Amino acid sequence: MATDPIHQFQITKLLPLEVAGFDVSFTNSALFMVATVALSSAFLIFSTSGRGLIPGRAQSISEMAYEFIANILRQSAGSEGMKFFPLVFSLFVFILIANLFGMFPYFFTVTSHIIITAALALLVIGIVLIYGFWRNGIGFLKLFVPGGVPPILAAIIVPIEVLSFISRPLSLSVRLFANMLAGHITLKVFAGFVVTLTGMGFGGMLGALLPLAFTVALTALEFLVAFLQAYVFAILTCMYLNDAIHPSH
Amino acid sequence: MAATKEHETGTNSEVGTPGGQEGGGAFPPFDSSTFASQLLWLAITFGLFYYLMSKVVLPRISDILEVRSDRIAQDLEEANRFKQESDEAIAAYEQELAEAKSKAHAIATEASDKAKAEAESYREKVEAELSAKLATAEDKIAEIKQAALSEVGSIAEDTAAVMVNELLGGKVSKADVTAAIKQAGKS
């Protein structure tokens, strides 16, 4: 049980709740979503409450996060994309903090469940679709027809473009989900090796050094992945939003 | 118990990926019975988070950054203004210095000219005075000489009268003596 690498993804009900026939219990996943939001909101609100002209450390972190996301968004979607800044910023911080929470032993990783990442990805694609059609009308479909392509080629390219657009939410959600899932499983498996080998006596203890080193290295890698996946999610969101704003590329 | 469980989950994670979507599978991420709860709580928490970010945190940070960049721009402007002012002050100072120099030069030339002129006029005056004094002195000398010369005649006459009276026993008048001297002087 202790070395079962899948067990960490188990959802347990902390507060059973049922509304209109749906099981909407407050689970460990919900708890960590609340913790993610509470921690990041509290940090961002309190660190900036002083409104220091010269920022302290905490305020610097908040400002850096702000400028980091603002730069990504402005570079990929232009100044008009800045109206989606709260969305991209929220997505980035939420995913980053949820990923980092998952790095604590015994903590639940919210983003290791496909339904969460899929919901976030569909939110992004939904906004891209709605805003794209609202802003450009039927001209949004130009997104699927690259400019200056002869009609014969367009017959081949348009289906490819449509397919690539449809696969966006899929890739966006699966990338994050799979990274978190695989990383945590790998970590758990190597850590499990350490436990198992140590239980085999002195020789096992020597043998356990290798998976231990792996575990340490993987932990560092997972911290990188936790940041990187949040970054990738944010930057892809920016690029998709750019398509909604400027559909003819 | 643990072994069978491990085996069970192991098979499920391998073949269970499509099977898990049916719901109630043992691989938690594909267990659809938890989806409703996860979606609801994600909507609540992420919605709240989005609200807080867009209404509180991001406007505040944007405010902070704006105030700071305004302040920096303002300070730079002020610094530029000060620099310009100091440049102006330096230019004004240099101009005034040049003016003062030329003025001082003018004053110095004027003073020396004036002093020269004064000295000249004083010298002339003194010279004139001296020559006037010299002239009067010469006049006086001539007068005195004249007086002395004229008195020499009368003294001689007196002396001659006294001598004649002494020699001849005193019956010769002064007028006769004078006429005799004049006679003698003519011959």
Side-chain angles (χ1 to χ4, degrees):
Chain A
M1 185 79 171
T3 53
D4 175 10
I6 304 300
H7 176 72
Q8 57 179 322
F9 304 112
Q10 196 69 51
I11 288 189
T12 51
K13 291 177 194 176
L14 303 175
L15 202 78
L17 201 70
E18 196 162 312
V19 174
F22 287 105
D23 174 21
V24 292
S25 311
F26 191 79
T27 60
N28 53 350
S29 169
L31 175 69
F32 278 97
M33 288 184 216
V34 170
T36 300
V37 168
L39 180 81
S40 33
S41 303
F43 180 82
L44 287 165
I45 288 170
F46 288 121
S47 67
T48 56
S49 63
R51 292 169 183 265
L53 193 63
I54 298 153
R57 283 181 211 179
Q59 193 183 321
S60 281
I61 293 171
S62 298
E63 284 174 12
M64 272 163 66
Y66 179 101
E67 288 185 326
F68 179 63
I69 298 298
N71 283 340
I72 295 174
L73 187 56
R74 202 176 288 119
Q75 273 167 20
S76 45
S79 54
E80 200 187 330
M82 289 311 282
K83 66 174 69 163
F84 296 107
F85 181 53
L87 174 76
V88 181
F89 186 82
S90 304
L91 279 171
F92 173 75
V93 174
F94 184 83
I95 294 171
L96 176 66
I97 303 301
N99 288 351
L100 289 176
F101 255 123
M103 291 310 296
F104 286 94
Y106 298 106
F107 278 24
F108 183 82
T109 316
V110 174
T111 44
S112 65
H113 276 248
I114 183 88
I115 187 69
I116 298 292
T117 61
L120 294 175
L122 284 172
L123 174 72
V124 170
I125 298 299
I127 286 169
V128 166
L129 277 175
I130 291 166
Y131 184 76
F133 278 116
W134 176 79
R135 186 185 180 277
N136 307 294
I138 204 74
F140 182 56
L141 292 177
K142 269 191 282 184
L143 178 63
F144 303 117
V145 190
V149 173
I152 304 164
L153 266 179
I156 308 164
I157 286 173
V158 169
I160 295 174
E161 290 280 338
V162 172
L163 203 66
S164 93
F165 187 84
I166 292 169
S167 64
R168 277 177 182 181
L170 207 68
S171 69
L172 196 57
S173 54
V174 169
R175 183 182 300 112
L176 175 58
F177 153 72
N179 264 290
M180 299 321 292
L181 183 83
H184 281 74
I185 290 177
T186 319
L187 208 52
K188 186 83 176 186
V189 166
F190 275 104
F193 282 160
V194 178
V195 177
T196 316
L197 285 171
T198 313
M200 285 176 173
F202 184 69
M205 278 185 201
L206 277 183
L209 286 175
L210 191 64
L212 180 65
F214 265 118
T215 308
V216 172
L218 274 172
T219 306
L221 181 70
E222 280 306 297
F223 273 108
L224 177 70
V225 168
F227 171 78
L228 209 61
Q229 288 306 318
Y231 174 66
V232 166
F233 201 99
I235 205 164
L236 285 174
T237 301
C238 293
M239 289 166 74
Y240 298 162
L241 287 170
N242 181 45
D243 283 347
I245 297 163
H246 314 105
S248 43
H249 46 159
Chain B
M1 174 65 191
T4 53
K5 177 120 187 171
E6 199 173 319
H7 182 249
E8 195 181 295
T9 52
T11 51
N12 264 322
S13 61
E14 279 162 21
V15 277
T17 20
Q21 283 167 332
E22 300 294 317
F27 187 56
F30 294 129
D31 180 2
S32 64
S33 70
T34 64
F35 284 4
S37 150
Q38 290 196 66
L39 283 177
L40 177 77
W41 286 105
L42 176 69
I44 293 172
T45 53
F46 189 73
L48 179 72
F49 189 58
Y50 179 83
Y51 178 80
L52 282 173
M53 290 304 108
S54 61
K55 294 285 174 229
V56 183
V57 170
L58 298 179
R60 192 189 279 174
I61 298 180
S62 137
D63 233 40
I64 293 171
L65 295 177
E66 208 166 294
V67 165
R68 183 175 309 150
S69 73
D70 279 0
R71 176 68 186 272
I72 289 169
Q74 196 184 319
D75 284 359
L76 278 178
E77 204 177 302
E78 206 166 321
N80 261 339
R81 200 164 50 77
F82 281 144
K83 190 178 174 290
Q84 206 171 339
E85 263 174 30
S86 79
D87 283 353
E88 272 167 19
I90 287 171
Y93 159 77
E94 262 166 16
Q95 199 187 333
E96 239 161 63
L97 188 69
E99 260 171 34
K101 264 184 188 166
S102 66
K103 214 172 178 180
H105 188 70
I107 288 169
T109 352
E110 200 186 324
S112 95
D113 284 357
K114 203 172 157 193
K116 260 186 205 164
E118 257 170 28
E120 191 70 19
S121 68
Y122 186 71
R123 192 173 64 84
E124 270 167 19
K125 198 175 122 196
V126 168
E127 258 172 23
E129 258 169 35
L130 283 178
S131 53
K133 267 182 190 168
L134 199 64
T136 43
E138 270 168 5
D139 284 355
K140 221 172 195 173
I141 290 168
E143 219 171 86
I144 289 167
K145 203 174 166 185
Q146 194 80 35
L149 280 178
S150 69
E151 266 167 30
V152 166
S154 68
I155 290 167
E157 280 164 16
D158 286 349
T159 316
V162 172
M163 276 166 67
V164 168
N165 283 335
E166 284 287 316
L167 291 173
L168 303 178
K171 284 313 183 226
V172 180
S173 72
K174 203 183 169 191
D176 293 338
V177 174
T178 309
I181 288 170
K182 275 186 183 167
Q183 194 97 30
K186 277 177 188 168
S187 61

